[in-house]
Every structure is written in structure tokens, then in C-alpha cells.
């Protein structure tokens, strides 16, 4: 099992930046594939980015490609989401998630979830 705690959300103006962190505890962090997802009010949870256990493979939603960067520090048991050039449509609750094995983009494939952190981008 793994426990996940996100932090770093907040209110930012369009064009600004935020860095989200997700701290993990429990089973060896380097065992886990990690993903970031987001959910806006009235919408389904959607994929943002994911990374393999060693950070060798990363994947991004088209809507964030070139603006967001996922990375992990296995020594610190933490995965990050650097978000640049933020847009109002990026406003959502952001969740990190973990699973063993492959690096899917479907949120239903992830077994463990954090509580989420709110990101609000004003225009």
C-alpha cells in the first residue's frame, strides 16, 4: 500500500506557474508508477501526466503538453507537477495516483489516490 498527500495548489493568474508535490509513504516509492489527474466541477476526472518508476517514461495529455512537466525524486518519495503558462481552463482539483506496473492514462487503472489539491487560475 501507499499513502499520498498532495500540496502546492493555490490561486494564480493566467500565465503564471505552480508546482504541485505529492509525498508518498508506505511501500517503496520506486515501485510505483505515478500519475497526475484533475477534475473540474461537473466534469469527469481526466489524465494530466504520468511517469514510470524510474522516470524514464513520461506521458502527457495533449492539453498540457509543453506547459506541464512531471518528475519524481525517488530518494524523497515525491512526485512533482511543474505547471507553467497556466490557463483558466486548468482550474481543477489535482490528484496524484499510484499503481504497480505499466503507465496508463486511464484513471480507473490507478489504485491509490491522494486527497487532492485545488488549483485556480484567474483570467
Amino acid at each position: 500500500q501507499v499513502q499520498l498527500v498532495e500540496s502546492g495548489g493555490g490561486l494564480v493568474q493566467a500565465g503564471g506557474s505552480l508546482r504541485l508535490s505529492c509525498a508518498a509513504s508506505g511501500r517503496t516509492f520506486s515501485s510505483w508508477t505515478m500519475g497526475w489527474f484533475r477534475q473540474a466541477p461537473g466534469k469527469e476526472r481526466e489524465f494530466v501526466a504520468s511517469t514510470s518508476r524510474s522516470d524514464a517514461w513520461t506521458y502527457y495529455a495533449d492539453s498540457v503538453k509543453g506547459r506541464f512537466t512531471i518528475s519524481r525524486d525517488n530518494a524523497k518519495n515525491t512526485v512533482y507537477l511543474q505547471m507553467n503558462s497556466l490557463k483558466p481552463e486548468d482550474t481543477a482539483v489535482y490528484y496524484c495516483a499510484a499503481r504497480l506496473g505499466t503507465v496508463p492514462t486511464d484513471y480507473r487503472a490507478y489504485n491509490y489516490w491522494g486527497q487532492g489539491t485545488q488549483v485556480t487560475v484567474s483570467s
Side-chain angles (χ1 to χ4, degrees), residues 103-119:
V103 193
T105 61
D106 188 341
Y107 71 89
R108 291 165 290 190
Y110 287 77
N111 308 106
Y112 299 96
W113 293 84
Q115 83 289 348
T117 186
Q118 176 70 47
V119 172

Side-chain angles (χ1 to χ4, degrees), residues 28-44:
T28 305
F29 181 66
S30 58
S31 301
W32 300 97
T33 291
M34 300 299 297
W36 284 98
F37 297 80
R38 65 187 182 188
Q39 188 165 19
K43 294 188 176 181
E44 189 176 9

Side-chain angles (χ1 to χ4, degrees), residues 55-76:
D55 223 12
W57 302 98
T58 56
Y59 302 90
Y60 296 92
D62 288 343
S63 59
V64 306
K65 204 171 291 183
R67 300 188 298 123
F68 290 11
T69 303
I70 188 171
S71 62
R72 65 192 296 164
D73 186 337
N74 286 343
K76 295 183 178 180

